[in-house]
């Protein structure tokens, strides 16, 4: 068992006190057989007057914070501890009929994943189609797992990782032509590429654990991270991180999954004031391996989670006298 701690700290600064609108946060990791949330401690300053929780259409845990005070600083501080079980994705078990590409999803699965197969970006000259089909062995057997792993490694080796703090995600054709992008750009490029081949794929937002021995080998540490999943019959949703060439959940902590990156923005919200009042934001994400915490039982046991807020950060977009902020971290 590997126990990881995550501290995600984001601070917005303003020249003068501003009034805050609602902020929508997605920072609670998804509980599953390969990652189990042990504790979550969330603090927002200034203290919100209300925090409500719900699950979105994808089953992600979402918190919405409402404020009633003005301030020159807004801080989101999240601390998480979870049990993480790495998997060796090259060993995943695919149904016999899907081990060779192309294959067709079963009639029972297709209605539920059809929107995740649809392309989200235009490709009028079929440039992305032509690029991704270079990885398919026409006229001979194409192993499904090998195809997806080769595509993952091709993006890692053939493109340059470059941080970008502007809002939104690059069009995959721009990523393809420029040869560079952020982790979210590479995730979208791979999603659109595999969708062009008929695979179901979805966007994942979360955190990256960078072991000391990996050092610079992992890109995207110290910030929120993004990758994608591909649905394979028999194996289910399998992680593919084209930024780092990771196949499987090794070193990846899932927080949110979605059909489109805009549905998995870690934090989005607004403030009311002059656009010039916005000074900037700082973000830090620290992921460490720790000793497994002792389990407390009996009358002295207390809930591990204290819901006093959650996390945030981002860029500003002026809308009249209100400025909308979204967390768009590389």
């Amino acid at each position: 068992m590997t126990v990881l701690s995550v501290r995600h700290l984001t601070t917005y600064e303003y020249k003068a006190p501003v009034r805050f609108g609602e902020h929508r946060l997605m920072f609670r990791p998804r509980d599953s057989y390969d990652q189990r949330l042990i504790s979550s401690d969330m603090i927002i300053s200034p203290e919100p007057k209300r925090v409500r929780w719900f699950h979105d259409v994808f089953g992600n845990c979402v918190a919405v914070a409402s404020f009633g005070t003005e301030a020159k600083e807004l801080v989101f501080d999240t601390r998480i501890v979870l049990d993480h079980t790495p998997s060796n994705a090259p060993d995943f078990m695919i149904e016999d009929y899907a081990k060779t590409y192309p294959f067709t999803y079963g009639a029972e699965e297709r209605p539920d994943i059809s929107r995740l197969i649809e392309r989200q970006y235009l490709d009028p000259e079929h440039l992305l189609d032509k690029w991704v089909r270079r990885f398919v062995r026409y006229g001979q057997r194409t192993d499904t797992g090998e195809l997806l792993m080769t595509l993952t490694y091709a993006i890692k080796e053939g493109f340059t990782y470059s941080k970008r703090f502007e809002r939104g995600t690059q069009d995959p054709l721009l990523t393809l032509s420029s040869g560079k992008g952020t982790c979210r750009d590479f995730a979208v490029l791979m999603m659109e590429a595999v969708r062009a081949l008929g695979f179901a794929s979805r966007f994942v937002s979360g955190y990256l654990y960078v072991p000391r021995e990996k050092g610079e080998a992992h890109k995207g540490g110290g910030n929120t991270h993004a990758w994608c999943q591909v649905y394979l019959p028999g194996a289910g949703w399998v992680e593919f991180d084209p930024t780092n060439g990771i196949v499987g959940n090794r070193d990846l902590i899932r927080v949110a999954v979605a059909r489109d990156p805009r549905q998995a923005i870690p934090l989005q919200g607004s403030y009311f004031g002059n656009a010039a009042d916005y000074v900037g934001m700082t973000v830090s994400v620290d992921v460490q391996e720790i000793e497994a915490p002792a389990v407390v039982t009996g009358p002295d046991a207390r809930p591990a989670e204290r819901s006093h807020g959650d996390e945030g950060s981002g860029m500003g977009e002026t809308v009249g006298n209100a400025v909308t902020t979204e967390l768009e971290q590389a």
Side-chain angles (χ1 to χ4, degrees), residues 236-310:
W237 290 104
V238 179
E239 252 90 7
F240 292 91
D241 177 7
T243 300
N244 296 296
I246 298 174
V247 179
N249 74 330
R250 176 174 46 87
D251 300 334
L252 300 174
I253 301 172
R254 289 185 304 276
V255 172
V257 300
R259 174 177 51 84
D260 184 277
R262 291 170 294 185
Q263 299 168 310
I265 296 174
L267 172 68
Q268 52 186 327
S270 62
Y271 73 87
F272 298 89
N274 295 321
D277 288 338
Y278 178 68
V279 175
M281 61 90 178
T282 58
V283 181
S284 67
V285 174
D286 183 46
V287 183
Q288 301 285 340
E289 183 175 354
I290 63 173
E291 294 292 330
V295 177
V296 180
T297 59
D300 293 331
R302 297 181 180 180
E305 182 171 341
R306 300 189 298 279
S307 180
H308 181 54
D310 208 357

Side-chain angles (χ1 to χ4, degrees), residues 2-9 29 78-82 84 206-212 218 220-225 227 250-255 284-290:
T2 301
V3 178
L4 300 176
S5 70
V6 181
R7 185 183 184 191
H8 190 160
L9 177 65
T78 302
R79 304 184 189 212
I80 295 163
V81 177
L82 72 159
H84 187 270
Y207 303 112
L208 175 69
Y209 170 51
V210 184
R212 290 181 180 178
H218 274 0
N223 219 316
T224 54
H225 192 54
W227 60 97
R250 176 174 46 87
D251 300 334
L252 300 174
I253 301 172
R254 289 185 304 276
V255 172
S284 67
V285 174
D286 183 46
V287 183
Q288 301 285 340
E289 183 175 354
I290 63 173

